Amino acid sequence: RHTRYISVTGVQTCALPILLLVLATFFFVSAPRGWGSGFLHRIPGLAGRSVTGFSRGVNLTNNDIYEDDSIVMRVRFVQDGRPITDPSFLPYMRGQTFDRYYRGRWRRTPTVHPKDVGAGTEKSPGRLLEAARNLEPDQMIRQEVWLESTLNGVLFSLYPPLAISSSDIEKVRLDRHDLALQTLSPSHKQAHYVAFAMDEPTPALAQRLLEWPGRPRDGWSRIPRRVGDFARSFAADVGDPTDPMQFEFIAERFRDYLGSERFEYSLHRGPLKEKGDLVANFLFDNPRGHCEYFASAMTIMCQIVGIPARLVSGYQGGELNEAGGFFQFRQRDAHTWVEVYLPDRGWTRFDPTPPATGDTEPDDSLLAKSKQFVDYVQFKWAAMVFSFDSDTRNILFRGFNDWFAKFTRQGETPRPLAATLKSMFWGPDVLAFWQRAFYWLLLVLCLVFAILVLRLAWLVSLRLREHLPSRQRTRRGLTRRAEARFYDRLLLLLSR
């Protein structure tokens, strides 16, 4: 019984580090990845419901939509060398465009000859547009993006994307027609890239954006006759749709009409009374729906009267994390809007979706700020430790090499022990504050690991002293029985 008790104690001693390893693997590896989001994301789908999020195709459905809080990406916007932390800043992270509508489905016409661009480095980013070759990075809006997954291949950026750099993505494909970006090597892994855009284009860039890239492909939609008759009548009452200089005015009237009190923003449309086209049902029978309905209605109305327009899907708004100075986008921030081609401005964004009703005041409570700090720490761990891109790795390695060189140099006078211990405790000068906190945590873990190793060595020595014969017993020719060896070990344990 005593032997069994000591064996159980040894098993517990070995099981504790294994349990800690499993917990550390979950909290520091699986948790930053969003381990349970994929499973939880599919639960509403089992009941015939839809969940917010970005997809490579837009299909209008009458299902109830539930908001998904899974994190998609984090973006830090920098302009004139300073991070943009204004809560009123409303970024539209553009993903893909769609130009053809047929029976509730939007599709995009692929470009015949896309442009493949190598993602450059931070100092020399890959140029997406030749008109932006003479622009310096300081003249543009810098978007540092940490994307949780590139499985669908779509990369997000403000419009128009001018340059891109990344250590995780080798090449990107640029659609010459709509300047949409996608990676050539999609995967489940996180991706870190830096994209550059511009609020006010230079004259050369503005001229390039005004160029119609090849044959127009907008206007190929099959629009229900009822919707077409209404759009033509509406446009004729407010202007002349055959005059290109009135495109903007007519598009604004379409947007204002959809934003009027007649229509209601809602994720729950209610039961569909009769079958038919969903856009027609939204305009005439059930004027309530989400952003895809509002944007689809405006795009179709513009196309039917001859105004080039296309549907755009991406992410809009996001949540400003003041602790980290970045915007955090979740699946619920997925959004759809409209781009209309204006002869004097090129493709221009219009958002006909009215704001959602409810409390829109920012939450300044202690709980909200604590949650932001937790999100910031998780973001830092996922971006700088778990992903650990090559640029960060090289900087840290060079800093540690210089730091270790101080201890290996042979000087004329020996280095004092107190100064050596202080330098080891403080660590390399290249570490930032949050990195130094992880360094101190590493020192504590190393100390705990050394104690566990000594503990294990002590247990092994006890086992060896119990079973291996001693010199005195060997000289006397005595053989200890198992009960006596256990008694010797028990005395040794008590003496310790």
Side-chain angles (χ1 to χ4, degrees):
R1 186 167 48 188
H2 291 292
T3 305
R4 191 186 330 163
Y5 169 75
I6 295 179
S7 300
V8 171
T9 305
V11 171
Q12 292 175 349
T13 305
C14 297
L16 181 60
I18 297 176
L19 178 61
L20 291 176
L21 178 62
V22 173
L23 293 177
T25 302
F26 173 76
F27 284 108
F28 293 105
V29 178
S30 300
R33 282 281 192 176
W35 173 77
S37 61
F39 174 74
L40 297 177
H41 176 82
R42 288 190 292 269
I43 289 180
L46 299 176
R49 302 167 181 172
S50 300
V51 187
T52 54
F54 178 85
S55 61
R56 298 200 63 171
V58 176
N59 300 324
L60 297 180
T61 64
N62 207 58
N63 296 338
D64 289 346
I65 296 182
Y66 294 84
E67 294 184 332
D68 184 2
D69 288 338
S70 302
I71 297 176
V72 178
M73 61 180 165
R74 301 174 176 89
V75 187
R76 179 175 287 117
F77 300 93
V78 179
Q79 189 173 23
D80 298 330
R82 296 187 300 272
I84 301 177
T85 57
D86 186 1
S88 62
F89 178 64
L90 197 64
Y92 282 79
M93 298 299 290
R94 195 169 175 268
Q96 284 191 317
T97 69
F98 306 90
D99 56 283
R100 293 183 297 160
Y101 175 82
Y102 179 64
R103 292 185 177 180
R105 295 184 177 183
W106 283 97
R107 293 294 179 265
R108 58 184 280 112
T109 306
T111 300
V112 179
H113 301 290
K115 179 181 179 181
D116 294 342
V117 180
T121 61
E122 183 74 17
K123 295 182 179 179
S124 179
R127 301 291 177 178
L128 300 174
L129 294 179
E130 294 297 327
R133 180 169 295 276
N134 297 327
L135 294 176
E136 296 296 331
D138 294 340
Q139 299 177 268
M140 299 177 281
I141 298 180
R142 182 178 183 272
Q143 312 154 70
E144 190 171 5
V145 183
W146 290 268
L147 196 60
E148 290 295 317
S149 172
T150 60
L151 186 60
N152 57 20
V154 179
L155 302 179
F156 301 92
S157 170
L158 299 176
Y159 183 81
L162 306 178
I164 189 171
S165 66
S166 175
S167 58
D168 298 331
I169 302 173
E170 295 183 1
K171 282 189 176 182
V172 297
R173 174 159 291 176
L174 177 69
D175 191 314
R176 297 177 185 269
H177 183 85
D178 58 2
L179 302 183
L181 298 174
Q182 64 179 6
T183 176
L184 298 182
S185 55
S187 67
H188 279 289
K189 298 181 179 179
Q190 292 177 332
H192 174 225
Y193 63 93
V194 178
F196 296 89
M198 205 167 190
D199 262 351
E200 298 180 0
T202 61
L205 179 59
Q207 185 63 33
R208 165 64 181 84
L209 296 176
L210 285 176
E211 297 176 4
W212 193 282
R215 184 180 65 179
R217 60 185 186 183
D218 303 272
W220 291 1
S221 301
R222 298 186 180 182
I223 301 174
R225 179 177 299 178
R226 186 181 179 188
V227 178
D229 294 341
F230 170 76
R232 294 187 191 94
S233 175
F234 187 96
D237 292 340
V238 298
D240 183 8
T242 61
D243 183 6
M245 301 310 297
Q246 296 190 34
F247 283 176
E248 181 177 6
F249 180 78
I250 297 175
E252 289 177 348
R253 302 289 78 76
F254 285 154
R255 180 195 60 192
D256 296 341
Y257 173 73
L258 294 172
S260 63
E261 296 181 355
R262 170 181 169 79
F263 296 90
E264 176 188 355
Y265 177 85
S266 176
L267 297 177
H268 312 286
R269 296 200 70 232
L272 190 63
K273 296 181 180 180
E274 57 184 37
K275 296 183 179 180
D277 185 80
L278 289 177
V279 173
N281 178 269
F282 171 71
L283 285 174
F284 308 114
D285 302 324
N286 184 15
R288 61 199 307 254
H290 48 84
C291 59
E292 292 181 353
Y293 280 89
F294 286 89
S296 298
M298 179 175 175
T299 305
I300 289 176
M301 292 169 69
C302 288
Q303 288 183 355
I304 197 62
V305 299
I307 300 177
R310 61 196 183 196
L311 197 77
V312 186
S313 65
Y315 290 91
Q316 177 257 347
E319 175 188 358
L320 174 62
N321 188 299
E322 297 181 355
F326 60 87
F327 285 79
Q328 188 166 258
F329 293 85
R330 303 178 183 270
Q331 291 284 12
R332 68 187 182 194
D333 296 319
H335 191 54
T336 307
W337 59 93
V338 185
E339 285 182 354
V340 176
Y341 183 82
L342 305 179
D344 56 339
R345 293 168 56 186
W347 291 101
T348 305
R349 182 181 70 241
F350 287 84
D351 193 351
T353 305
T357 58
D359 186 13
T360 59
E361 292 295 328
D363 190 358
D364 296 331
S365 63
L366 180 61
L367 180 61
K369 292 185 178 297
S370 301
K371 185 176 181 299
Q372 286 187 358
F373 180 75
V374 171
D375 291 339
Y376 172 64
V377 173
Q378 185 184 28
F379 157 65
K380 276 297 184 182
W381 178 266
M384 306 302 291
V385 179
F386 189 76
S387 297
F388 202 49
D389 56 84
S390 59
D391 295 337
T392 306
R393 182 171 61 248
N394 293 334
I395 293 174
L396 289 179
F397 280 178
R398 286 195 299 267
F400 272 96
N401 286 334
D402 296 340
W403 182 61
F404 282 125
K406 295 180 181 179
F407 298 101
T408 57
R409 292 197 193 103
Q410 296 295 334
E412 297 180 357
T413 58
R415 187 182 181 90
L417 179 61
T420 302
L421 295 178
K422 181 180 178 182
S423 179
M424 292 184 63
F425 174 77
W426 185 250
D429 296 334
V430 72
L431 297 179
F433 174 75
W434 66 269
Q435 292 173 331
R436 200 172 304 282
F438 280 116
Y439 172 75
W440 291 333
L441 176 61
L442 181 62
L443 290 181
V444 174
L445 292 177
C446 290
L447 179 61
V448 174
F449 179 74
I451 295 175
L452 290 176
V453 169
L454 293 177
R455 166 78 173 175
L456 180 62
W458 177 58
L459 292 175
V460 172
S461 68
L462 291 179
R463 182 69 66 178
L464 292 177
R465 291 183 63 177
E466 177 185 351
H467 291 282
L468 293 181
S470 64
R471 292 182 180 180
Q472 295 180 357
R473 292 198 299 265
T474 303
R475 286 197 300 263
R476 296 176 182 176
L478 298 177
T479 303
R480 302 282 285 176
R481 296 176 58 182
E483 295 85 351
R485 289 200 304 270
F486 169 74
Y487 181 72
D488 294 339
R489 186 185 178 195
L490 184 59
L491 291 177
L492 185 61
L493 285 172
L494 291 174
S495 66
R496 296 296 184 185

